[in-house]
Amino acid sequence: MDFVAILMGSKSDYEVMSECINVLKKFDVPYEVIISSAHRSPQRTKDYVKNAEEKGAKVFIAAAGMAAHLAGAVASMTTKPVIGVPLKGGALDGIDALLSTVQMPSGMPVATVALGKTGAINSAYLAMQILALSDAELGGKLKEDRVMKAKNVELDSSDIEVILG
């Protein structure tokens, strides 16, 4: 079974990453969640990535703050797409995590999304777009979601708009 594998560096990351999980649930996309640290539990991370690939993981989402090495570590262990979610925290309030996640060496790509909650949500959407390359039903759901988002903008505007005629 195809699924999205979500790794986070610590339990404190769950509050933000629950936003990612909620999006995947909304679209009925199977996922797994694990806490594993690139620094504190590197063997656990390595074992999980290998096992998840064998079980059918098609995309990995890795969320971490501060040194934020998790996404890069996962990318070094798989050729599947890896999406990094930099999380706020530490002395630089997430800028260090953003730079650590986005600055990968050649040949080790990590798709990096925004910091925090927005990044968590966008990581789910990006993972689903990747899965939709071979899943027409999911692709259709994503198109419907875009149509609804556009309609919501029009509804929000109609509540407040003033047009001079």
Side-chain angles (χ1 to χ4, degrees):
M1 169 181 55
D2 295 352
F3 67 95
V4 176
I6 303 168
L7 297 90
M8 36 191 123
S10 67
K11 190 174 183 180
S12 63
D13 301 337
Y14 183 78
E15 182 179 345
V16 171
M17 291 309 293
S18 66
E19 299 289 340
C20 169
I21 293 164
N22 290 339
V23 172
L24 295 173
K25 283 181 183 177
K26 175 183 167 186
F27 286 85
D28 297 318
V29 173
Y31 64 90
E32 285 187 354
V33 179
I34 185 175
I35 295 171
S36 192
S37 170
H39 299 112
R40 294 183 301 268
S41 59
Q43 189 61 50
R44 174 179 169 81
T45 303
K46 184 177 181 179
D47 293 344
Y48 176 73
V49 170
K50 181 178 186 233
N51 181 267
E53 277 192 322
E54 290 171 359
K55 292 189 325 187
K58 297 298 182 205
V59 181
F60 289 86
I61 296 173
M66 296 178 25
H69 185 60
L70 186 57
V74 172
S76 76
M77 300 170 194
T78 183
T79 57
K80 303 287 188 214
V82 177
I83 303 166
V85 182
L87 299 176
K88 292 185 177 193
L92 300 178
D93 200 29
I95 299 302
D96 49 349
L98 175 63
L99 294 174
S100 293
T101 306
V102 77
Q103 292 289 27
M104 293 298 298
S106 295
M108 291 293 154
V110 169
T112 306
V113 293
L115 282 165
K117 178 180 173 180
T118 298
I121 292 167
N122 282 343
S123 72
Y125 275 98
L126 182 53
M128 291 187 301
Q129 288 174 331
I130 293 167
L131 293 174
L133 292 171
S134 61
D135 182 339
E137 182 180 346
L138 180 57
K141 288 179 182 181
L142 288 169
K143 286 178 184 174
E144 288 174 24
D145 184 66
R146 288 280 174 101
V147 169
M148 289 307 300
K149 283 179 174 22
K151 285 182 181 177
N152 287 338
V153 169
E154 291 176 24
L155 288 171
D156 289 346
S157 180
S158 69
D159 288 344
I160 64 167
E161 66 188 38
V162 175
I163 300 176
L164 296 176

